[in-house]
Amino acid sequence: MNALRLIVAVRRGYALALRRPVVVLPASWSKVQCCQQSTQPIPAARLPYIVKVSAGKRYAWCACGHSKKQPFCDGTHRSKAPGISPVAFTPDKDSRVLLCACKQTKNAPYCDGSHFTVIVQDVVKSVKGVFK
């Protein structure tokens, strides 16, 4: 790798690191569950999304995890998870909010820290896989 490519790669990584925390996870965690139709939501990411929202604007939060426009709904639930509907919400003021990406929150669409449980479950599952 020449020096210019290395500098560009480092800068891109640094810019991404400023936007969201960088967590090194096993390659299997980055794969999205693939199935015809699901009745349970699938995690879109392990950490919440930081999103700037506008007061009075209506948003639709993806509750199924299949949307390509996370954390917002793009209508994919109609074919991949017809039993799971998006959650509509309208913020009271302009602000930055943490929207759940693990889809396990009890305070939808806002993050309540449930992703820590999901991460621990994934770690336990991967550790058990090592000892099989």
Side-chain angles (χ1 to χ4, degrees), residues 15-101:
L16 290 174
L18 289 177
R19 281 188 252 150
R20 289 190 61 119
V22 177
V23 177
V24 179
L25 301 172
S28 62
W29 288 8
S30 64
K31 296 178 184 173
V32 174
Q33 179 183 353
C34 186
C35 61
Q36 293 292 0
Q37 289 187 348
S38 64
T39 57
Q40 296 294 321
I42 61 168
R46 299 295 183 245
L47 298 173
Y49 293 100
I50 301 171
V51 180
K52 186 175 182 181
V53 292
S54 301
K57 184 176 178 185
R58 188 176 167 107
Y59 296 93
W61 173 74
C62 172
C64 70
H66 291 284
S67 176
K68 300 289 183 209
K69 296 182 178 182
Q70 290 293 334
F72 301 111
C73 178
D74 66 358
T76 308
H77 66 277
R78 291 182 193 117
S79 61
K80 297 212 177 187
I84 304 173
S85 299
V87 175
F89 69 101
T90 306
D92 295 334
K93 59 182 180 177
D94 293 350
S95 62
R96 288 182 183 258
V97 294
L98 291 173
L99 296 182
C100 179

